[in-house]
Amino acid sequence: SYELTQPPSVSVSPGQTASITCSGDKLGNKYACWYQQKPGQSPVLVIYQDTKRPSGIPERFSGSKSGNTATLTISGTQSMDEADYYCQAWDSSTADVVFGGGTKLTVL
Amino acid sequence: QVTLRESGPALVKPTQTLTLTCIFSGFSLSTSGMCVGWIRQPPGKALEWLALIDWDDDKYYSTSLKTRLTISKDTSKNQVVLTMTDMDPVDTATYYCARMRIVGATRAFDIWGQGTMVAVSS
């Protein structure tokens, strides 16, 4: 089955830039999206179609992709950005929606 | 305003069948490109996609769980129902429904429900 791999944790100092990666076989041929999930809350879509930001999502959130690795970048990270982040893609060969294992972002 | 809300039992016994209902508003599941999916999250663990139904009544299931899952919709009632058979304690999780809009090859859940916690225990 298709898998997306994320680092379990990333730490960043307030005001600095955080980068969270998501890698998968042939991810370069698929669209990736990213969700933010704070404790006790439902996930929120922050990036879709690799680089697009839904309305209402702060500009400090951006997405990119190089080869088979997608990256979520948070510029000027704030304490409110501390959360779990999940990448997701769609495997057209099986029609499966696939989530990464999640990355816990700590702002300290 | 688009909203989704999940409902179902908080506790089921092992081997029982779980039935969850997602009631949504603010969009129509008969509109081209619209889908509703189910995703679950065991306590402290990652999100896991379960099933998806689209505007054309096409149904998609997680490869690993498809023998246990059935998804259906009632467009007139703005409802999507998921059944999962043969429940086991490892199925204890928060179950979410979420909207997906298909635009080309883009597949992303843009609006999520609040989730409903289901425990499996005798």
Side-chain angles (χ1 to χ4, degrees):
Chain A
S1 62
Y2 191 74
E3 294 183 356
L4 294 172
T5 301
Q6 300 180 234
S9 62
V10 168
S11 297
V12 65
S13 300
Q16 299 303 302
T17 297
S19 295
I20 300 172
T21 59
C22 172
S23 60
D25 185 41
K26 298 181 181 177
L27 184 58
N29 297 332
K30 311 177 193 301
Y31 281 128
C33 61
W34 293 90
Y35 302 91
Q36 176 195 67
Q37 186 181 33
K38 296 181 179 180
Q41 298 184 18
S42 303
V44 173
L45 180 68
V46 294
I47 294 289
Y48 68 99
Q49 206 169 313
D50 293 341
T51 61
K52 297 184 178 181
R53 205 173 43 248
S55 61
I57 300 301
E59 290 185 9
R60 64 179 181 275
F61 289 87
S62 63
S64 62
K65 193 167 66 180
S66 178
N68 291 326
T69 299
T71 301
L72 173 68
T73 302
I74 309 172
S75 304
T77 307
Q78 301 180 10
S79 58
M80 69 172 64
D81 300 328
E82 191 164 277
D84 292 327
Y85 290 85
Y86 294 91
C87 62
Q88 178 242 300
W90 179 63
D91 182 9
S92 58
S93 65
T94 59
D96 273 8
V97 174
V98 181
F99 287 95
T103 298
K104 182 176 181 59
L105 177 68
T106 301
V107 182
L108 42 67
Chain B
Q1 182 188 7
V2 173
T3 64
L4 303 98
R5 187 179 77 251
E6 307 87 350
S7 63
L11 178 67
V12 298
K13 297 184 187 309
T15 76
Q16 286 187 336
T17 294
L18 171 68
T19 299
L20 296 172
T21 301
C22 176
I23 299 175
F24 57 88
S25 63
F27 69 99
S28 173
L29 200 40
S30 61
T31 300
S32 179
M34 289 295 178
C35 311
V36 170
W38 287 93
I39 305 98
R40 72 177 179 179
Q41 185 174 38
K45 297 189 176 181
L47 300 169
E48 178 184 20
W49 172 71
L50 300 176
L52 188 74
I53 190 165
D54 72 13
W55 73 99
D56 209 21
D57 208 33
D58 289 323
K59 300 156 188 174
Y60 306 89
Y61 297 103
S62 164
T63 300
S64 60
L65 290 168
K66 62 181 174 182
T67 60
R68 299 173 54 203
L69 298 173
T70 303
I71 191 170
S72 62
K73 67 180 174 76
D74 185 331
T75 304
S76 64
K77 294 183 179 179
N78 281 356
Q79 290 185 0
V80 172
V81 174
L82 180 75
T83 62
M84 179 180 290
T85 61
D86 195 24
M87 293 293 285
D88 183 271
V90 300
D91 297 313
T92 293
T94 296
Y95 287 75
Y96 297 98
C97 65
R99 184 183 78 165
M100 174 185 281
R101 290 187 296 171
I102 295 178
V103 180
T106 298
R107 304 280 192 278
F109 294 107
D110 62 346
I111 307 292
W112 293 62
Q114 64 187 15
T116 186
M117 178 65 192
V118 178
V120 184
S121 174
S122 55

